[in-house]
Amino acid sequence: MEYYKDNQIPDQNGRYGDYGGQFVPETLMAALSELTQAFEAIVNDRNFSEQLNSLLKDYVGRPSPMYYARNLSQALGGEIYIKREDLNHTGAHKINNAVGQVLLAKKLGKNRIIAETGAGQHGVATATVCAQMGLECVVYMGEEDIKRQAPNVYRMRELGTKIVSVTSGTRTLKDAINEAIRDWVTNVQNTHYLIGSAVGPHPYPKIVREFQAVIGKESREQILEKLGKLPDYVVACVGGGSNAIGIFSGFLSDLTVQLIGVEAAGEGLNQKHAATMARGKPGVLHGSMSYLLQDEFGQVLEAHSISAGLDYPGVGPEHSYLKDTERAKYVSATDEEALSGFKLLSKLEGIIPALEPAHAIGYMQSWVRKLPKNSVIILLLSGRGDKDLETVSNILNEKI
Amino acid sequence: MRNFLLYHNNIAKSIHNSNKKGRTALIPFITIGFPTIDSTVPIVKKLEENGADVIELGIPFSDPLAEGLTIQRSSQIALENGVNLNKCLEIVKKIRSEGVKTPLVCMGYYNPILAKGINKFCEEAADAGIDGLIVADLPSSEAKLLVTATKKHEISLIPLLALTSNEDSIKLACKFASGFVYCISVLGVTGARKKVNSKVKELVKKVKVYTDIPVAIGFGISKKEHIIEIGKYADAAVFGAALIEFILSNKKNLPEKNAEIFIRNLSKKNDQIGKNYENSWR
């Protein structure tokens, strides 16, 4: 694991071992190399980090708290700390990356921003930052997701963003990304594609990790300050994997800290699911090589999850690498377990989680019991659950 | 054994022969298994009989991110018809067994090829009678493994170059290119356009600095006027979406009849510009 300390991952070709790379139409290659150069330049630019940090502090509301969940700890066992990304402006971790990339786009002189969104959290974050900075914003969203995440659609519209309903393929996140890439190929000269997850061609997985790394950096400092020691476990949900890679990145070199990513097992791993790393095989989708849900002929399979944000047949390339090198462990939780986690955190701690991190809570319900008594666990609560109330109440047949 | 020297490459030779007659070589594209599994063989035969110099066969993929609506739709229909990579190769074999001699080039996406195994795919494709390969989401910088495998199995790997391609990409692509170099005439996805973007002329000029193999122009090509325009500076024209739209919109004709009408129309008067092949074939 010396690799991480040297910051050699990804390499200059955007490779995480065999994963990553740049598998996109040739038209985009120049834009990717322009983006890589601009990104490498701002990473060490003091002006840029001052601007970014000031927005993160005063606009996003960082640092987000690290909360000791006493009731949850008593119920499940262990010492559970919750990293509260749900308290950020717009209600999820997605805004960390949106702020960073919009600033980057401004450096590139691009005045039009496009984004894809699944649960709508990334779309809302992007729409929000574009409103604040006065940039044109277009968000691609699957028709299916528009239905199940209606509150976020209203929010984006209020923020002045144009929403394009994607009706091709499975009408979810995967197809929204296809459509956004098609837009980018067409408008590459004035448009920045603001990818919201740690997926896509190099340098996107690296950019998204860098802008989400603030979660891991803060978490490490906060837990050391509270306990004077590192946690035993860090747990986060994984769809594309941006929140997970953000918090993992703070602990990669701390080999005593076990990193656990929770994928969506949907109706079960032998039914419809979105557990890419549990059930997929390496392949190429959306510009990078990574684990992928696909049939024997290499056609991409439809993913299924109760949560729109995890409903994706791919995963960020760095997660594939962390899985193969066994630096992180990937498990899964079903729709049912996620619903149970959703209810548990709401009742015990007065925090309504988004359905995405509810998968992590669902997994913890059975898992934490098996751990030594005073194990310290950081649970990353990537977003709040207001957007999911309708979905949850429909399923549980409780009319609002 | 096919020889890979320039003048012995089937694809390049076919384009060259067309140019010698003062014509712009025609490269129609059709998705395999569209509109039905049984349509492909008769469509290809009609295209051959009516002026196609090379035929591009689309391997359908679930996520064709370089395609506009028309080819997305044809891929979707083909997938619903049960087409997969093995089926595609079977259909290619059938095309050859029915006597089609025109060079065949497959165009597809990387993942189905990876799923089969790069080497295995190239071996089976060569065996089925495929002459060339285009991979829409594999830029030259990622093509190393496929370059090796296609060389080994004597398939031409045809690179795509774009209006945004820089000098380094052009150089790299021309280094391994075989058959022809495919220049994308638009910023955007496939699909018929009203006019040919004049900027592509500059791209062709740059490409011709680095290679002597033919240069084709594609994306957006839909009319006879486009073919004539392209013939002034390039060697071949690729057209797909317009052909597929024509097949979709004239349902009272058999698909192969539509293919025939469409390519005949493009082929007519194609030699009027009196193409000077020496100029494009140094």
Side-chain angles (χ1 to χ4, degrees):
Chain A
M1 290 301 121
E2 287 299 304
Y3 229 173
Y4 296 106
K5 288 181 188 159
D6 296 336
N7 199 20
Q8 289 297 303
I9 282 284
D11 68 15
Q12 57 173 1
N13 299 317
R15 291 289 182 156
Y16 304 79
D18 290 336
Y19 302 111
Q22 295 181 312
F23 299 91
V24 292
E26 171 67 25
T27 306
L28 295 178
M29 291 303 286
L32 290 178
S33 83
E34 178 191 63
L35 184 60
T36 307
Q37 280 170 17
F39 176 65
E40 299 303 339
I42 58 111
V43 166
N44 301 313
D45 178 346
R46 261 209 14 230
N47 274 341
F48 186 90
S49 30
E50 271 167 21
Q51 217 180 338
L52 176 63
N53 290 337
S54 134
L55 277 166
L56 288 177
K57 179 166 175 280
D58 299 332
Y59 190 66
V60 175
R62 302 207 72 89
S64 67
M66 172 77 73
Y67 166 70
Y68 174 56
R70 180 168 286 117
N71 300 333
L72 189 67
S73 301
Q74 264 165 19
L76 301 185
E79 301 282 302
I80 303 171
Y81 287 80
I82 300 181
K83 177 62 174 166
R84 301 285 310 271
E85 291 298 300
D86 61 314
L87 292 176
N88 292 339
H89 181 38
T90 71
H93 72 289
K94 292 291 186 187
I95 194 141
N96 304 328
N97 170 55
V99 169
Q101 282 202 47
V102 168
L103 285 178
L104 184 55
K106 285 198 127 180
K107 284 255 167 203
L108 287 164
K110 309 247 163 144
N111 50 24
R112 180 175 177 268
I113 302 288
I114 58 171
E116 82 294 339
T117 199
Q121 290 304 117
H122 173 57
V124 167
T126 305
T128 298
V129 182
C130 285
Q132 199 262 351
M133 300 205 198
L135 295 179
E136 182 190 348
C137 178
V138 177
V139 169
Y140 288 88
M141 190 167 186
E143 194 184 34
E144 189 64 31
D145 293 334
I146 287 181
K147 272 188 234 154
R148 56 180 167 176
Q149 304 281 300
N152 276 341
V153 175
Y154 306 144
R155 292 164 84 191
M156 285 185 273
R157 291 212 172 112
E158 282 308 313
L159 293 161
T161 280
K162 183 180 162 205
I163 296 164
V164 182
S165 170
V166 177
T167 55
S168 58
T170 60
R171 300 161 191 233
T172 59
L173 180 58
K174 162 179 92 80
D175 307 282
I177 296 178
N178 289 338
E179 222 38 58
I181 292 176
R182 290 181 188 122
D183 178 318
W184 199 31
V185 173
T186 310
N187 301 298
V188 62
Q189 279 158 336
N190 71 345
T191 298
H192 174 68
Y193 179 18
L194 206 163
I195 296 186
S197 197
V199 302
H202 176 68
Y204 279 104
K206 188 177 176 185
I207 291 177
V208 175
R209 178 186 70 186
E210 178 71 23
F211 290 139
Q212 293 294 0
V214 64
I215 305 173
K217 194 168 161 272
E218 283 175 10
S219 297
R220 194 172 186 281
E221 283 167 12
Q222 288 166 324
I223 202 81
L224 282 175
E225 195 189 304
K226 279 183 194 296
L227 302 179
K229 63 172 185 180
L230 289 168
D232 300 299
Y233 300 94
V234 171
V235 185
C237 64
V238 178
S242 68
N243 75 89
I245 208 66
I247 195 163
F248 287 0
S249 71
F251 299 95
L252 281 171
S253 313
D254 302 317
L255 298 183
T256 58
V257 180
Q258 294 198 41
L259 308 173
I260 296 175
V262 185
E263 294 190 293
E267 295 171 3
L269 289 182
N270 296 319
Q271 319 281 329
K272 293 194 291 179
H273 62 80
T276 305
M277 284 184 288
R279 284 290 189 271
K281 278 187 317 188
V284 166
L285 178 69
H286 296 149
S288 67
M289 171 99 63
S290 197
Y291 278 89
L292 179 63
L293 295 177
Q294 53 181 316
D295 70 11
E296 61 176 310
F297 299 108
Q299 303 293 343
V300 180
L301 291 172
E302 186 171 353
H304 166 82
S305 168
I306 189 176
S307 96
L310 303 184
D311 200 348
Y312 182 62
V315 66
E318 190 162 9
H319 287 295
S320 292
Y321 179 71
L322 292 174
K323 173 187 157 73
D324 284 7
T325 55
E326 296 180 353
R327 177 62 191 95
K329 187 177 152 193
Y330 295 89
V331 297
S332 61
T334 61
D335 289 348
E336 207 174 312
E337 288 168 316
L339 282 168
S340 158
F342 182 92
K343 300 200 82 152
L344 186 74
L345 194 70
S346 304
K347 294 242 158 78
L348 288 183
E349 298 289 352
I351 299 171
I352 299 177
L355 277 174
E356 291 79 15
H359 283 75
I361 306 161
Y363 173 74
M364 284 169 65
Q365 279 185 271
S366 53
W367 168 70
V368 175
R369 294 180 217 286
K370 299 174 201 155
L371 302 178
K373 239 189 172 154
N374 45 10
S375 302
V376 174
I377 302 152
I378 297 180
L379 162 67
L380 173 52
L381 190 62
S382 54
R384 67 174 188 231
D386 313 39
K387 68 182 176 66
D388 296 314
L389 287 173
E390 201 182 321
T391 307
V392 172
S393 65
N394 282 344
I395 290 168
L396 301 176
N397 270 328
E398 302 163 353
K399 294 267 174 284
I400 295 177
Chain B
M1 198 175 111
R2 268 177 286 158
N3 186 321
F4 259 65
L5 287 171
L6 195 55
Y7 288 89
H8 297 274
N9 180 289
N10 282 354
I11 301 167
K13 201 157 75 183
S14 185
I15 294 172
H16 182 49
N17 286 340
S18 178
N19 291 166
K20 271 202 297 198
K21 294 177 202 145
R23 298 165 53 91
T24 308
L26 297 184
I27 310 183
F29 167 97
I30 186 80
T31 306
I32 300 180
F34 166 84
T36 68
I37 294 232
D38 295 330
S39 319
T40 308
V41 176
I43 289 176
V44 168
K45 282 167 117 176
K46 286 293 175 197
L47 292 173
E48 174 174 78
E49 287 163 18
N50 292 283
D53 298 291
V54 174
I55 296 168
E56 214 181 292
L57 298 168
I59 300 170
F61 181 50
S62 54
D63 294 82
L65 48 76
E67 314 298 347
L69 282 174
T70 307
I71 297 180
Q72 282 178 47
R73 194 159 157 218
S74 68
S75 298
Q76 194 58 38
I77 291 170
L79 289 174
E80 281 160 15
N81 290 338
V83 174
N84 56 44
L85 192 49
N86 286 351
K87 196 88 205 166
C88 286
L89 294 173
E90 252 171 57
I91 292 173
V92 171
K93 269 187 192 159
K94 183 120 195 285
I95 292 170
R96 287 301 186 206
S97 76
E98 300 216 356
V100 170
K101 297 274 183 288
T102 306
L104 300 176
V105 170
C106 272
M107 172 148 182
Y109 288 77
Y110 199 34
N111 200 52
I113 296 171
L114 275 178
K116 184 180 256 306
I118 294 172
N119 251 305
K120 191 156 177 250
F121 169 75
C122 289
E123 187 184 344
E124 290 180 21
D127 192 50
I130 292 290
D131 299 276
L133 180 63
I134 303 170
V135 186
D137 57 350
L138 193 71
S140 305
S141 52
E142 294 282 3
K144 217 168 161 188
L145 293 173
L146 200 58
V147 168
T148 312
T150 47
K151 271 203 179 126
K152 182 172 166 203
H153 296 286
E154 300 186 345
I155 290 176
S156 294
L157 187 56
I158 295 153
L160 289 153
L161 286 171
L163 298 175
T164 51
S165 295
N166 59 29
E167 202 82 10
D168 287 347
S169 312
I170 295 174
K171 228 193 271 183
L172 181 63
C174 289
K175 218 165 123 187
F176 70 73
S178 155
F180 62 91
V181 174
Y182 190 143
C183 290
I184 300 170
S185 70
V186 298
L187 284 178
V189 293
T190 55
R193 308 287 202 281
K194 287 207 175 75
K195 281 172 107 177
V196 180
N197 186 342
S198 59
K199 284 184 193 146
V200 72
K201 199 172 166 179
E202 293 304 306
L203 173 63
V204 173
K205 223 191 240 169
K206 284 190 222 162
V207 171
K208 287 199 175 272
V209 171
Y210 294 106
T211 184
D212 291 337
I213 68 173
V215 176
I217 291 175
F219 282 42
I221 310 306
S222 61
K223 306 183 207 165
K224 193 162 53 192
E225 293 75 36
H226 295 168
I227 311 275
I228 292 170
E229 172 67 24
I230 283 170
K232 292 177 187 162
Y233 46 88
D235 310 301
V238 184
F239 50 92
L243 168 61
I244 287 168
E245 262 166 36
F246 192 76
I247 290 173
L248 279 169
S249 60
N250 297 287
K251 291 216 168 106
K252 57 180 195 297
N253 285 341
L254 284 171
E256 57 267 34
K257 182 69 191 169
N258 280 328
E260 180 184 343
I261 297 169
F262 189 86
I263 194 169
R264 275 200 168 190
N265 179 41
L266 287 192
S267 192
K268 241 189 310 184
K269 300 184 188 166
N270 176 13
D271 56 1
Q272 273 194 351
I273 54 153
K275 187 163 176 51
N276 175 5
Y277 79 92
E278 289 302 340
N279 192 26
S280 65
W281 191 272
R282 283 159 303 185

mmCIF file of all heavy atoms in Angstrom, chain B residues 2-31:
data_model
loop_
_atom_site.group_PDB
_atom_site.id
_atom_site.type_symbol
_atom_site.label_atom_id
_atom_site.label_comp_id
_atom_site.label_asym_id
_atom_site.label_seq_id
_atom_site.Cartn_x
_atom_site.Cartn_y
_atom_site.Cartn_z
ATOM 1 N N ARG B 2 -2.985 -12.370 -46.911
ATOM 2 C CA ARG B 2 -3.065 -10.972 -47.336
ATOM 3 C C ARG B 2 -1.803 -10.226 -46.923
ATOM 4 O O ARG B 2 -1.270 -10.437 -45.854
ATOM 5 C CB ARG B 2 -4.287 -10.301 -46.704
ATOM 6 C CG ARG B 2 -5.496 -10.388 -47.590
ATOM 7 C CD ARG B 2 -6.679 -9.784 -46.902
ATOM 8 N NE ARG B 2 -7.160 -10.652 -45.852
ATOM 9 C CZ ARG B 2 -7.888 -10.208 -44.829
ATOM 10 N NH1 ARG B 2 -8.149 -8.933 -44.707
ATOM 11 N NH2 ARG B 2 -8.313 -11.053 -43.919
ATOM 12 N N ASN B 3 -1.399 -9.393 -47.775
ATOM 13 C CA ASN B 3 -0.197 -8.631 -47.488
ATOM 14 C C ASN B 3 -0.620 -7.237 -47.016
ATOM 15 O O ASN B 3 -1.531 -6.643 -47.564
ATOM 16 C CB ASN B 3 0.605 -8.521 -48.777
ATOM 17 C CG ASN B 3 1.935 -7.865 -48.545
ATOM 18 O OD1 ASN B 3 2.031 -6.918 -47.773
ATOM 19 N ND2 ASN B 3 2.954 -8.350 -49.204
ATOM 20 N N PHE B 4 0.061 -6.742 -46.006
ATOM 21 C CA PHE B 4 -0.362 -5.459 -45.471
ATOM 22 C C PHE B 4 0.280 -4.262 -46.124
ATOM 23 O O PHE B 4 0.035 -3.134 -45.741
ATOM 24 C CB PHE B 4 -0.202 -5.440 -43.954
ATOM 25 C CG PHE B 4 -1.525 -5.672 -43.332
ATOM 26 C CD1 PHE B 4 -2.156 -6.888 -43.519
ATOM 27 C CD2 PHE B 4 -2.182 -4.670 -42.656
ATOM 28 C CE1 PHE B 4 -3.408 -7.108 -43.011
ATOM 29 C CE2 PHE B 4 -3.439 -4.874 -42.139
ATOM 30 C CZ PHE B 4 -4.056 -6.099 -42.311
ATOM 31 N N LEU B 5 1.088 -4.500 -47.109
ATOM 32 C CA LEU B 5 1.618 -3.353 -47.834
ATOM 33 C C LEU B 5 0.442 -2.610 -48.457
ATOM 34 O O LEU B 5 -0.557 -3.206 -48.845
ATOM 35 C CB LEU B 5 2.593 -3.819 -48.913
ATOM 36 C CG LEU B 5 3.928 -4.310 -48.352
ATOM 37 C CD1 LEU B 5 4.744 -4.962 -49.446
ATOM 38 C CD2 LEU B 5 4.688 -3.160 -47.725
ATOM 39 N N LEU B 6 0.617 -1.333 -48.531
ATOM 40 C CA LEU B 6 -0.433 -0.436 -48.981
ATOM 41 C C LEU B 6 -1.286 -0.975 -50.127
ATOM 42 O O LEU B 6 -2.491 -1.098 -50.040
ATOM 43 C CB LEU B 6 0.238 0.867 -49.392
ATOM 44 C CG LEU B 6 -0.654 2.053 -49.571
ATOM 45 C CD1 LEU B 6 -1.459 2.276 -48.314
ATOM 46 C CD2 LEU B 6 0.214 3.256 -49.873
ATOM 47 N N TYR B 7 -0.650 -1.309 -51.226
ATOM 48 C CA TYR B 7 -1.402 -1.629 -52.429
ATOM 49 C C TYR B 7 -2.058 -3.001 -52.371
ATOM 50 O O TYR B 7 -2.788 -3.384 -53.244
ATOM 51 C CB TYR B 7 -0.496 -1.520 -53.658
ATOM 52 C CG TYR B 7 -0.169 -0.087 -53.972
ATOM 53 C CD1 TYR B 7 0.938 0.533 -53.401
ATOM 54 C CD2 TYR B 7 -1.013 0.656 -54.793
ATOM 55 C CE1 TYR B 7 1.207 1.852 -53.660
ATOM 56 C CE2 TYR B 7 -0.744 1.987 -55.053
ATOM 57 C CZ TYR B 7 0.368 2.589 -54.494
ATOM 58 O OH TYR B 7 0.637 3.900 -54.748
ATOM 59 N N HIS B 8 -1.795 -3.730 -51.314
ATOM 60 C CA HIS B 8 -2.380 -5.053 -51.206
ATOM 61 C C HIS B 8 -3.468 -5.121 -50.150
ATOM 62 O O HIS B 8 -4.046 -6.157 -49.922
ATOM 63 C CB HIS B 8 -1.291 -6.092 -50.932
ATOM 64 C CG HIS B 8 -0.312 -6.172 -52.054
ATOM 65 N ND1 HIS B 8 -0.513 -6.973 -53.149
ATOM 66 C CD2 HIS B 8 0.835 -5.497 -52.280
ATOM 67 C CE1 HIS B 8 0.500 -6.806 -53.993
ATOM 68 N NE2 HIS B 8 1.322 -5.915 -53.495
ATOM 69 N N ASN B 9 -3.698 -4.008 -49.499
ATOM 70 C CA ASN B 9 -4.771 -3.989 -48.510
ATOM 71 C C ASN B 9 -6.111 -3.905 -49.236
ATOM 72 O O ASN B 9 -6.345 -3.006 -50.040
ATOM 73 C CB ASN B 9 -4.585 -2.761 -47.598
ATOM 74 C CG ASN B 9 -5.655 -2.674 -46.546
ATOM 75 O OD1 ASN B 9 -6.805 -2.385 -46.849
ATOM 76 N ND2 ASN B 9 -5.275 -2.931 -45.314
ATOM 77 N N ASN B 10 -6.991 -4.865 -48.974
ATOM 78 C CA ASN B 10 -8.283 -4.946 -49.668
ATOM 79 C C ASN B 10 -9.066 -3.651 -49.616
ATOM 80 O O ASN B 10 -9.663 -3.224 -50.603
ATOM 81 C CB ASN B 10 -9.169 -6.005 -49.015
ATOM 82 C CG ASN B 10 -8.750 -7.391 -49.435
ATOM 83 O OD1 ASN B 10 -7.879 -7.531 -50.291
ATOM 84 N ND2 ASN B 10 -9.349 -8.385 -48.827
ATOM 85 N N ILE B 11 -9.105 -3.085 -48.423
ATOM 86 C CA ILE B 11 -9.936 -1.896 -48.231
ATOM 87 C C ILE B 11 -9.363 -0.719 -49.005
ATOM 88 O O ILE B 11 -10.063 -0.055 -49.779
ATOM 89 C CB ILE B 11 -10.030 -1.553 -46.727
ATOM 90 C CG1 ILE B 11 -10.635 -2.731 -45.956
ATOM 91 C CG2 ILE B 11 -10.820 -0.285 -46.511
ATOM 92 C CD1 ILE B 11 -10.475 -2.628 -44.448
ATOM 93 N N ALA B 12 -8.066 -0.483 -48.787
ATOM 94 C CA ALA B 12 -7.406 0.636 -49.468
ATOM 95 C C ALA B 12 -7.498 0.457 -50.976
ATOM 96 O O ALA B 12 -7.722 1.417 -51.730
ATOM 97 C CB ALA B 12 -5.954 0.742 -49.016
ATOM 98 N N LYS B 13 -7.328 -0.781 -51.420
ATOM 99 C CA LYS B 13 -7.348 -1.051 -52.852
ATOM 100 C C LYS B 13 -8.727 -0.746 -53.454
ATOM 101 O O LYS B 13 -8.832 -0.156 -54.523
ATOM 102 C CB LYS B 13 -6.988 -2.521 -53.096
ATOM 103 C CG LYS B 13 -6.483 -2.762 -54.505
ATOM 104 C CD LYS B 13 -5.638 -4.018 -54.596
ATOM 105 C CE LYS B 13 -6.516 -5.258 -54.538
ATOM 106 N NZ LYS B 13 -5.712 -6.489 -54.549
ATOM 107 N N SER B 14 -9.751 -1.134 -52.731
ATOM 108 C CA SER B 14 -11.103 -0.906 -53.232
ATOM 109 C C SER B 14 -11.399 0.593 -53.345
ATOM 110 O O SER B 14 -12.000 1.052 -54.319
ATOM 111 C CB SER B 14 -12.102 -1.589 -52.294
ATOM 112 O OG SER B 14 -13.385 -1.471 -52.809
ATOM 113 N N ILE B 15 -10.968 1.342 -52.327
ATOM 114 C CA ILE B 15 -11.164 2.802 -52.371
ATOM 115 C C ILE B 15 -10.367 3.401 -53.533
ATOM 116 O O ILE B 15 -10.857 4.224 -54.308
ATOM 117 C CB ILE B 15 -10.751 3.437 -51.017
ATOM 118 C CG1 ILE B 15 -11.697 2.958 -49.908
ATOM 119 C CG2 ILE B 15 -10.731 4.958 -51.110
ATOM 120 C CD1 ILE B 15 -11.284 3.358 -48.508
ATOM 121 N N HIS B 16 -9.157 2.907 -53.664
ATOM 122 C CA HIS B 16 -8.259 3.379 -54.713
ATOM 123 C C HIS B 16 -8.840 3.117 -56.106
ATOM 124 O O HIS B 16 -8.835 3.989 -56.972
ATOM 125 C CB HIS B 16 -6.916 2.668 -54.547
ATOM 126 C CG HIS B 16 -5.877 3.090 -55.531
ATOM 127 N ND1 HIS B 16 -5.597 4.407 -55.781
ATOM 128 C CD2 HIS B 16 -5.063 2.362 -56.326
ATOM 129 C CE1 HIS B 16 -4.641 4.482 -56.692
ATOM 130 N NE2 HIS B 16 -4.303 3.247 -57.043
ATOM 131 N N ASN B 17 -9.376 1.920 -56.293
ATOM 132 C CA ASN B 17 -9.962 1.574 -57.592
ATOM 133 C C ASN B 17 -11.115 2.498 -57.941
ATOM 134 O O ASN B 17 -11.284 2.896 -59.096
ATOM 135 C CB ASN B 17 -10.450 0.121 -57.602
ATOM 136 C CG ASN B 17 -9.287 -0.843 -57.681
ATOM 137 O OD1 ASN B 17 -8.181 -0.459 -58.093
ATOM 138 N ND2 ASN B 17 -9.502 -2.088 -57.274
ATOM 139 N N SER B 18 -11.896 2.837 -56.948
ATOM 140 C CA SER B 18 -13.006 3.744 -57.175
ATOM 141 C C SER B 18 -12.487 5.133 -57.552
ATOM 142 O O SER B 18 -12.963 5.764 -58.490
ATOM 143 C CB SER B 18 -13.845 3.799 -55.898
ATOM 144 O OG SER B 18 -14.901 4.691 -56.064
ATOM 145 N N ASN B 19 -11.475 5.572 -56.825
ATOM 146 C CA ASN B 19 -10.886 6.884 -57.099
ATOM 147 C C ASN B 19 -10.301 6.946 -58.513
ATOM 148 O O ASN B 19 -10.369 7.976 -59.179
ATOM 149 C CB ASN B 19 -9.769 7.199 -56.091
ATOM 150 C CG ASN B 19 -10.287 7.451 -54.670
ATOM 151 O OD1 ASN B 19 -9.514 7.452 -53.722
ATOM 152 N ND2 ASN B 19 -11.589 7.650 -54.524
ATOM 153 N N LYS B 20 -9.737 5.812 -58.947
ATOM 154 C CA LYS B 20 -9.138 5.765 -60.287
ATOM 155 C C LYS B 20 -10.161 6.044 -61.381
ATOM 156 O O LYS B 20 -9.834 6.566 -62.434
ATOM 157 C CB LYS B 20 -8.501 4.388 -60.535
ATOM 158 C CG LYS B 20 -7.055 4.354 -60.085
ATOM 159 C CD LYS B 20 -6.255 3.252 -60.759
ATOM 160 C CE LYS B 20 -6.772 1.876 -60.404
ATOM 161 N NZ LYS B 20 -5.786 0.805 -60.679
ATOM 162 N N LYS B 21 -11.422 5.654 -61.063
ATOM 163 C CA LYS B 21 -12.488 5.928 -62.047
ATOM 164 C C LYS B 21 -13.039 7.332 -61.887
ATOM 165 O O LYS B 21 -14.074 7.686 -62.467
ATOM 166 C CB LYS B 21 -13.628 4.920 -61.853
ATOM 167 C CG LYS B 21 -13.226 3.504 -62.186
ATOM 168 C CD LYS B 21 -14.404 2.565 -61.896
ATOM 169 C CE LYS B 21 -13.940 1.140 -61.686
ATOM 170 N NZ LYS B 21 -14.755 0.451 -60.671
ATOM 171 N N GLY B 22 -12.365 8.117 -61.059
ATOM 172 C CA GLY B 22 -12.819 9.486 -60.870
ATOM 173 C C GLY B 22 -13.963 9.607 -59.887
ATOM 174 O O GLY B 22 -14.661 10.614 -59.840
ATOM 175 N N ARG B 23 -14.167 8.559 -59.092
ATOM 176 C CA ARG B 23 -15.280 8.572 -58.149
ATOM 177 C C ARG B 23 -14.799 8.723 -56.709
ATOM 178 O O ARG B 23 -13.676 8.368 -56.380
ATOM 179 C CB ARG B 23 -16.055 7.253 -58.238
ATOM 180 C CG ARG B 23 -16.689 6.975 -59.585
ATOM 181 C CD ARG B 23 -17.109 5.519 -59.699
ATOM 182 N NE ARG B 23 -17.949 5.109 -58.585
ATOM 183 C CZ ARG B 23 -19.293 5.186 -58.571
ATOM 184 N NH1 ARG B 23 -19.919 5.663 -59.618
ATOM 185 N NH2 ARG B 23 -19.987 4.807 -57.532
ATOM 186 N N THR B 24 -15.665 9.258 -55.885
ATOM 187 C CA THR B 24 -15.420 9.225 -54.447
ATOM 188 C C THR B 24 -15.921 7.872 -53.964
ATOM 189 O O THR B 24 -17.046 7.489 -54.273
ATOM 190 C CB THR B 24 -16.247 10.315 -53.732
ATOM 191 O OG1 THR B 24 -15.997 11.556 -54.377
ATOM 192 C CG2 THR B 24 -15.877 10.413 -52.264
ATOM 193 N N ALA B 25 -15.079 7.150 -53.263
ATOM 194 C CA ALA B 25 -15.501 5.820 -52.817
ATOM 195 C C ALA B 25 -16.663 5.936 -51.837
ATOM 196 O O ALA B 25 -16.701 6.847 -51.010
ATOM 197 C CB ALA B 25 -14.329 5.093 -52.172
ATOM 198 N N LEU B 26 -17.605 5.009 -51.944
ATOM 199 C CA LEU B 26 -18.790 5.045 -51.086
ATOM 200 C C LEU B 26 -18.704 3.957 -50.016
ATOM 201 O O LEU B 26 -18.468 2.786 -50.333
ATOM 202 C CB LEU B 26 -20.060 4.833 -51.912
ATOM 203 C CG LEU B 26 -20.364 5.890 -52.973
ATOM 204 C CD1 LEU B 26 -21.704 5.583 -53.643
ATOM 205 C CD2 LEU B 26 -20.394 7.288 -52.363
ATOM 206 N N ILE B 27 -18.893 4.361 -48.776
ATOM 207 C CA ILE B 27 -18.859 3.409 -47.665
ATOM 208 C C ILE B 27 -20.166 3.512 -46.879
ATOM 209 O O ILE B 27 -20.289 4.301 -45.944
ATOM 210 C CB ILE B 27 -17.650 3.671 -46.728
ATOM 211 C CG1 ILE B 27 -16.360 3.791 -47.553
ATOM 212 C CG2 ILE B 27 -17.556 2.576 -45.665
ATOM 213 C CD1 ILE B 27 -15.105 3.981 -46.727
ATOM 214 N N PRO B 28 -21.174 2.727 -47.276
ATOM 215 C CA PRO B 28 -22.420 2.750 -46.513
ATOM 216 C C PRO B 28 -22.264 1.995 -45.192
ATOM 217 O O PRO B 28 -21.476 1.058 -45.101
ATOM 218 C CB PRO B 28 -23.410 2.026 -47.434
ATOM 219 C CG PRO B 28 -22.561 1.153 -48.291
ATOM 220 C CD PRO B 28 -21.233 1.849 -48.445
ATOM 221 N N PHE B 29 -23.022 2.447 -44.206
ATOM 222 C CA PHE B 29 -23.035 1.801 -42.883
ATOM 223 C C PHE B 29 -24.433 1.243 -42.636
ATOM 224 O O PHE B 29 -25.428 1.921 -42.869
ATOM 225 C CB PHE B 29 -22.721 2.831 -41.806
ATOM 226 C CG PHE B 29 -23.012 2.373 -40.388
ATOM 227 C CD1 PHE B 29 -22.010 1.868 -39.578
ATOM 228 C CD2 PHE B 29 -24.305 2.461 -39.864
ATOM 229 C CE1 PHE B 29 -22.276 1.446 -38.280
ATOM 230 C CE2 PHE B 29 -24.591 2.042 -38.563
ATOM 231 C CZ PHE B 29 -23.571 1.534 -37.773
ATOM 232 N N ILE B 30 -24.485 0.006 -42.166
ATOM 233 C CA ILE B 30 -25.771 -0.541 -41.758
ATOM 234 C C ILE B 30 -25.584 -1.363 -40.476
ATOM 235 O O ILE B 30 -24.599 -2.081 -40.335
ATOM 236 C CB ILE B 30 -26.416 -1.386 -42.899
ATOM 237 C CG1 ILE B 30 -27.831 -1.832 -42.543
ATOM 238 C CG2 ILE B 30 -25.551 -2.578 -43.266
ATOM 239 C CD1 ILE B 30 -28.874 -0.761 -42.739
ATOM 240 N N THR B 31 -26.500 -1.184 -39.537
ATOM 241 C CA THR B 31 -26.428 -1.936 -38.289
ATOM 242 C C THR B 31 -26.788 -3.396 -38.559
ATOM 243 O O THR B 31 -27.788 -3.675 -39.210
ATOM 244 C CB THR B 31 -27.429 -1.346 -37.275
ATOM 245 O OG1 THR B 31 -27.158 0.051 -37.146
ATOM 246 C CG2 THR B 31 -27.315 -2.023 -35.921
#
